[in-house]
């Protein structure tokens, strides 16, 4: 199947999924509207029995009429979305028929067709980068983003289309992130000679918590969506406009997630349609080019290519996330506090102050004040945190690898 056919089929699948989702939503809204109208009717019957005043009865009847009208509109919408969904499925079926080999594209099979097309594309990344009109590498500046970007850029350079790559960094500000993250992301982009874009996520994690009066957590991880994903989303429109194509643009959005990081990430596919970011003008595919890598693989690739990483890794911070990431474990948070002290950053005080002002604990099991108390105890026993350049690689791959890395980095600089 050629790439043009794949693109058409993916768009057919997207439209079909979208129409089906609209039908499901309309059905739910209709159920809610029917219940509201039925409840209003029950209230009128009850009011009649209770002999309420004429005014109250009139108000109840008016409310019922409005709700009954809304129910009727919801039913009309169900019919309309059902027809649209059938039409989208029909159009997809017609498109897919020449390639179907006896299968159709209804229900489950639509997702099977999507997985097969996306799976094939993910297995031939060169075809993917060649087919893309633009390739975004979303980077936190961290080690996984770096190796992801390195892989994408290497492929794009080999395919002769480096100009398609845009290195995108969501800057959460100095009250959320470690110093120098934005500058590092920029140096990484400059090393590859690709376009660099920064989206500002003011007011960062601290501001978000201040506004909401509570900390996010794993179940309500609003921070990632509001500080990163939602800030990057307008870029898709800007890039599509800048491309100015007559046909639907294909934007590939690369993310450095790894399956080994969490069960949720292990369930991710290498390539998927980003239904939220896609529309008739652009198809956005989310690509996870390093999904299969282990942490050691990542450090090996950084060593082999002499890639510059952020120094907090040498203080054995496992991730270059927010300084106090709501997903980090207790020992990592304690280390973050000690690292702040070693770097002279006032963040532990700012965060504990915020925690006491809003009266909501950083985590259900412990507060940031507990974290700071533990950091204080360790500092008293062991002294300040110290580290050497290359410690992250020394820790993961050994002394020889660290020496090799530092030598390669010096040559690259
Ligand atoms: S790094 Fe942690 S705290 Fe920061 S946005 Fe991501 S999940 Fe939220």
């Amino acid at each position: 199947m050629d790439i043009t056919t794949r693109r058409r089929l993916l768009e057919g699948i997207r439209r079909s999924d979208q129409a089906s989702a609209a039908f499901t939503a309309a059905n739910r809204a209709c159920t809610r509207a029917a219940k509201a109208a039925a409840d209003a009717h029950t209230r009128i019957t009850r009011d009649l029995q209770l002999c309420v005043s004429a005014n109250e009865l009139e108000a109840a009847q008016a409310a019922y009429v409005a709700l009954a009208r809304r129910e009727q509109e919801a039913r009309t919408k169900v019919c309309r979305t059902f027809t649209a969904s059938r039409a989208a499925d029909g159009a997809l079926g017609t498109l897919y028929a020449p390639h179907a080999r006896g299968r159709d594209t209804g229900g489950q099979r639509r997702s099977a067709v999507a997985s097969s097309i996306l799976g094939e594309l993910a297995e031939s990344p060169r075809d993917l980068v060649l087919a893309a009109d633009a390739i975004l590498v979303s980077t936190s500046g961290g080690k996984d983003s770096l190796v992801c970007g390195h892989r994408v850029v290497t492929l794009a350079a080999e395919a002769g289309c480096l100009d398609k790559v845009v290195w995108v960094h969501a800057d959460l500000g100095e009250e959320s992130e470690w110093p120098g993250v934005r500058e590092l992301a920029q140096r990484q982009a400059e090393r590859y000679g690709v376009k660099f874009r920064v989206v500002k996520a003011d007011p960062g994690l601290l501001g978000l918590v201040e506004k909401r009066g509570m900390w996010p957590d794993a179940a309500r991880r609003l921070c990632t969506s509001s500080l990163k994903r939602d800030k990057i989303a307008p870029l898709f429109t800007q890039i599509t406009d800048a491309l100015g194509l007559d046909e639907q643009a294909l934007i590939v959005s690369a993310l450095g997630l790894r399956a080994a990081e969490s069960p949720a990430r292990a369930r991710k596919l290498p390539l998927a349609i980003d239904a939220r970011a896609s529309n008739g003008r652009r198809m956005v595919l989310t690509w996870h080019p390093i999904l299969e890598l282990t942490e050691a693989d990542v450090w090996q690739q950084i060593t082999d290519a002499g890639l510059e990483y952020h120094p907090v890794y040498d203080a054995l911070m496992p991730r270059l996330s927010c300084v106090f990431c709501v997903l980090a474990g207790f020992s990592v948070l304690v280390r973050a506090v000690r690292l702040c002290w070693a770097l002279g950053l006032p963040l532990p005080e700012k965060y504990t102050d915020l925690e006491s002002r809003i009266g909501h604990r950083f985590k259900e099991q412990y507060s940031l004040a507990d974290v700071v108390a533990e950091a204080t105890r360790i500092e008293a026993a062991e002294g300040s945190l110290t580290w050497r350049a290359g410690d992250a690689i020394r820790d993961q791959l050994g002394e020889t690898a660290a020496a090799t890395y530092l030598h390669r980095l010096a040559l690259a600089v």
Side-chain angles (χ1 to χ4, degrees):
M1 197 187 292
D2 63 29
I3 192 68
T4 309
T5 308
R6 281 181 180 148
R7 284 178 67 162
R8 283 202 188 117
L9 277 168
L10 287 175
E11 172 59 3
I13 289 164
R14 185 192 71 79
R15 283 176 189 267
S16 200
D17 280 347
Q18 189 182 42
S20 163
F23 173 56
T24 306
N27 250 320
R28 286 206 192 103
C30 187
T31 306
R32 282 197 303 274
K35 182 171 182 321
D39 288 350
H41 191 265
T42 307
R43 273 195 298 278
I44 293 173
T45 313
R46 188 199 58 203
D47 289 353
L48 278 171
Q49 285 166 357
L50 293 174
C51 300
V52 297
S53 71
N55 279 351
E56 284 172 319
L57 193 57
E58 200 176 316
Q61 280 171 333
Y64 169 69
V65 169
L67 287 166
R69 192 180 312 120
R70 192 187 300 169
E71 181 190 351
Q72 190 49 48
E73 285 165 5
R75 288 191 189 286
T76 306
K77 192 167 183 186
V78 169
C79 293
R80 203 172 58 236
T81 52
F82 175 74
T83 308
S85 179
R86 289 289 297 268
D89 283 349
L92 176 59
T94 307
L95 209 54
Y96 187 59
H99 317 279
R101 296 191 206 101
R103 292 176 290 168
D104 71 33
T105 52
Q108 286 288 315
R109 295 187 185 92
R110 187 170 67 218
S111 60
V113 174
S115 322
S116 130
I117 295 172
L118 292 164
E120 281 168 20
L121 263 179
E123 279 171 22
S124 43
R126 182 183 160 84
D127 291 344
L128 181 63
V129 298
L130 280 170
D133 296 302
I135 306 168
L136 257 72
V137 176
S138 292
T139 175
S140 63
K143 65 182 194 315
D144 296 333
S145 307
L146 175 57
V147 170
C148 165
H150 182 67
R151 189 173 271 196
V152 171
V153 164
T154 305
L155 278 162
E158 285 168 4
C161 55
L162 199 57
D163 58 323
K164 292 178 184 175
V165 179
V166 185
W167 202 263
V168 183
H169 174 65
D171 184 356
L172 272 54
E174 58 185 25
E175 288 192 329
S176 300
E177 294 188 291
W178 295 104
V181 175
R182 196 200 71 80
E183 293 79 0
L184 173 64
Q186 182 163 358
R187 281 198 300 282
Q188 290 166 346
E190 283 167 0
R191 171 176 170 163
Y192 296 118
V194 295
K195 295 181 262 302
F196 179 60
R197 296 285 299 270
V198 176
V199 291
K200 286 290 273 180
D202 279 337
L205 181 62
L206 212 63
L208 183 80
V209 174
E210 181 107 51
K211 196 166 151 199
R212 292 181 66 232
M214 60 192 296
W215 302 93
D217 56 30
R220 286 153 301 179
R221 201 171 142 188
L222 293 172
C223 44
T224 313
S225 49
S226 54
L227 298 178
K228 295 180 180 175
R229 193 189 64 209
D230 295 353
K231 301 294 172 191
I232 289 175
L235 275 187
F236 293 125
T237 305
Q238 292 165 20
I239 289 172
T240 309
D241 289 347
L243 284 166
L245 301 176
D246 293 332
E247 56 179 11
Q248 188 188 44
L250 176 61
I251 301 178
V252 173
S253 170
L255 300 174
L257 305 190
R258 292 184 299 108
E261 287 180 285
S262 69
R265 292 190 171 187
R267 287 192 291 276
K268 300 273 182 201
L269 295 170
L271 194 65
I273 297 174
D274 182 342
R276 193 194 301 255
S278 299
N279 57 33
R281 294 186 63 217
R282 60 179 183 257
M283 165 69 69
V284 179
L285 298 181
T286 303
W287 185 24
H288 302 126
I290 64 159
L291 202 57
E292 82 290 0
L293 296 193
T294 64
E295 190 175 5
D297 292 335
V298 166
W299 284 112
Q300 189 63 57
Q301 295 199 9
I302 287 174
T303 303
D304 292 346
L307 305 178
E308 183 189 2
Y309 61 82
H310 196 281
V312 297
Y313 285 114
D314 285 336
L316 303 190
M317 292 298 298
R319 296 183 66 222
L320 183 67
S321 56
C322 290
V323 172
F324 297 116
C325 172
V326 293
L327 302 182
F330 187 76
S331 61
V332 173
L333 293 165
V334 169
R335 203 163 187 84
V337 170
R338 297 181 67 205
L339 184 52
C340 284
W341 288 339
L343 297 172
L345 301 175
L347 299 182
E349 296 75 20
K350 278 196 176 168
Y351 276 70
T352 48
D353 177 54
L354 175 64
E355 184 180 53
S356 78
R357 263 190 294 123
I358 63 173
H360 182 240
R361 280 153 76 97
F362 184 72
K363 293 216 184 193
E364 204 180 325
Q365 311 88 320
Y366 51 83
S367 64
L368 264 181
D370 296 334
V371 174
V372 171
E374 177 62 6
T376 308
R377 191 192 64 74
I378 294 177
E379 292 265 309
E382 299 177 8
S384 302
L385 204 59
T386 58
W387 61 91
R388 288 179 299 155
D391 270 356
I393 292 174
R394 215 167 269 119
D395 181 61
Q396 289 281 331
L397 308 175
E399 183 58 50
T400 309
T404 306
Y405 168 75
L406 292 172
H407 178 65
R408 286 190 181 137
L409 185 66
L411 290 178
V413 171

